[in-house]
Amino acid sequence: MPTDSPSPEGQLDLANAQAVTVEGVGERIVYENPESGFLVGRLREEGNPQLVTFVGSMLAVSAGESVRLRGSWPEDRKFGRQLQVASFEVVVPSSVR
């Protein structure tokens, strides 16, 4: 049976979660661990008034950058719904290309 709740070790089951892609501008970095690369951030998606919380290992992401995030939406018991990032890329504005 698929589950997106934390396992006994506190890890989320991402294998059974639906993959999504979210694109927007990093509004702010809430937490960053430079040793591990783990980051918690808030993303502003165009057309969405709510900021999206995202988490994962992505040391190269900074506030103000346009990013494309791919991951899933597990529900964390402590922190609620947040995008668990599996991969990401910084999106270069078309005027710079």
Side-chain angles (χ1 to χ4, degrees):
M1 172 193 265
T3 178
D4 58 0
S5 61
S7 69
E9 298 83 32
Q11 299 296 313
L12 298 172
D13 180 6
L14 299 179
N16 295 313
Q18 180 87 14
V20 297
T21 300
V22 177
E23 189 171 328
V25 176
E27 186 73 16
R28 68 180 178 269
I29 303 304
V30 177
Y31 172 80
E32 184 174 14
N33 182 325
E35 291 179 15
S36 69
F38 180 78
L39 181 139
V40 177
R42 305 282 281 164
L43 181 85
R44 181 166 307 281
E45 271 186 292
E46 187 174 330
N48 182 356
Q50 300 291 322
L51 293 177
V52 173
T53 300
F54 62 94
V55 300
S57 293
M58 54 197 129
L59 195 59
V61 174
S62 300
E65 286 185 312
S66 293
V67 292
R68 185 175 298 122
L69 309 173
R70 183 165 174 76
S72 58
W73 293 105
E75 186 76 28
D76 184 277
R77 287 185 183 159
K78 184 174 181 181
F79 299 108
R81 187 173 185 256
Q82 47 191 340
L83 181 66
Q84 177 69 47
V85 178
S87 65
F88 74 97
E89 63 182 302
V90 175
V91 178
V92 180
S94 58
S95 60
V96 176
R97 292 183 189 160

